[in-house]
Amino acid sequence: EPEVTQTPSHQVTQMGQEVILRCVPISNHLYFYWYRQILGQKVEFLVSFYNNEISEKSEIFDDQFSVERPDGSNFTLKIRSTKLEDSAMYFCASMDLLGTGANVLTFGAGSRLTVL
Amino acid sequence: EDQVTQSPEALRLQEGESSSLNCSYTVSGLRGLFWYRQDPGKGPEFLFTLYSAGEEKEKERLKATLTKKESFLHITAPKPEDSATYLCAVRVSMEYGNKLVFGAGTILRVKS
């Protein structure tokens, strides 16, 4: 079964450092998302990406965050200068509008970010 | 503001003891309600989508129903492997694609 792949599974970084989280969405999907889940809290929307540009972003997604689809397969989330409060599980998701899985977000297993 | 509230926060069941989880929502216009299962340290795994009041979906021991204000996830004769956090989310329409607003989840523990 097709799946969304995320790397790394866990990253520990020092406050102020840059972090890049990587995702390989399902190959025929056209819509890409990043969500995050702070420990013990709700899963919350960060950003959506379609047709090589951001289609919507939340208040959380400020100037320190950026997303990119550098090639035909990868989708990345960059945090330029990490803060302690960025510690969370970051989930990548992708979606297609056609077929049996239409309108369903498929999530990856997540990347746990720990900022010290 | 779109809001999703799940209850109870946690539920402990004996194997075979059926029960229901609740998800109440407030949205400007429902464009789909989703149930996901999340195991510890993993991403949400899709279970069901419901679009209109009266709709029902079933999968093994799980059955999801939808009214105009809430959804229920019924678990019949649960087994220990059903232990997980069950997340409810509503779809908020964007110009392109989906944005999901999640509830806090119900942590289910099934003991043998």
Side-chain angles (χ1 to χ4, degrees), chain B residues 21-110:
Chain B
L21 313 182
N22 177 264
C23 171
S24 61
Y25 58 89
T26 306
V27 295
S28 54
L30 185 66
R31 296 172 180 85
L33 184 141
F34 296 76
W35 283 99
Y36 282 84
R37 168 188 172 131
Q38 186 177 27
D39 292 300
K42 304 292 185 183
E45 176 187 347
F46 172 72
L47 294 173
F48 304 109
T49 309
L50 302 165
Y51 288 102
S52 56
E55 189 174 358
E56 298 182 352
K57 295 272 181 73
E58 282 189 73
K59 179 181 178 180
E60 296 181 352
R61 295 177 291 282
L62 300 177
K63 178 179 176 181
T65 62
L66 183 65
T67 71
K68 288 186 179 179
K69 293 184 178 181
E70 57 191 350
S71 176
F72 293 92
L73 184 66
H74 307 278
I75 303 176
T76 302
K79 298 182 178 182
E81 53 261 42
D82 294 322
S83 297
T85 297
Y86 290 85
L87 302 175
C88 173
V90 294
R91 177 189 172 197
V92 177
S93 185
M94 297 155 38
E95 186 173 357
Y96 299 107
N98 272 336
K99 169 184 172 181
L100 296 182
V101 175
F102 281 86
T106 293
I107 302 170
L108 175 65
R109 291 290 176 262
V110 182

Side-chain angles (χ1 to χ4, degrees), chain A residues 20-99:
Chain A
I20 297 176
L21 305 179
R22 292 182 168 79
C23 170
V24 179
I26 294 174
S27 61
N28 62 334
H29 286 189
L30 300 177
Y31 301 85
F32 313 112
Y33 308 84
W34 284 100
Y35 284 75
R36 80 172 185 188
Q37 187 175 31
I38 295 171
L39 188 63
Q41 297 187 22
K42 296 181 181 182
V43 176
E44 49 188 356
F45 169 78
L46 290 178
V47 66
S48 62
F49 192 86
Y50 170 72
N51 199 27
N52 287 318
E53 61 182 18
I54 291 173
S55 50
E56 184 166 341
K57 58 184 180 180
S58 72
E59 294 176 352
I60 303 166
F61 196 89
D62 61 22
D63 291 343
Q64 70 160 341
F65 291 92
S66 62
V67 290
E68 192 177 35
R69 189 160 162 81
D71 53 44
S73 60
N74 291 287
F75 180 51
T76 62
L77 174 68
K78 181 192 289 186
I79 309 175
R80 288 189 184 83
S81 178
T82 50
K83 304 172 186 173
L84 295 176
E85 54 264 37
D86 294 328
S87 295
M89 185 75 109
Y90 288 80
F91 294 110
C92 174
S94 67
M95 186 191 76
D96 195 12
L97 286 183
L98 303 174

Side-chain angles (χ1 to χ4, degrees), chain A residues 102-115:
Chain A
N103 290 309
V104 172
L105 268 69
T106 300
F107 287 84
S111 292
R112 179 168 299 284
L113 176 64
T114 301
V115 182

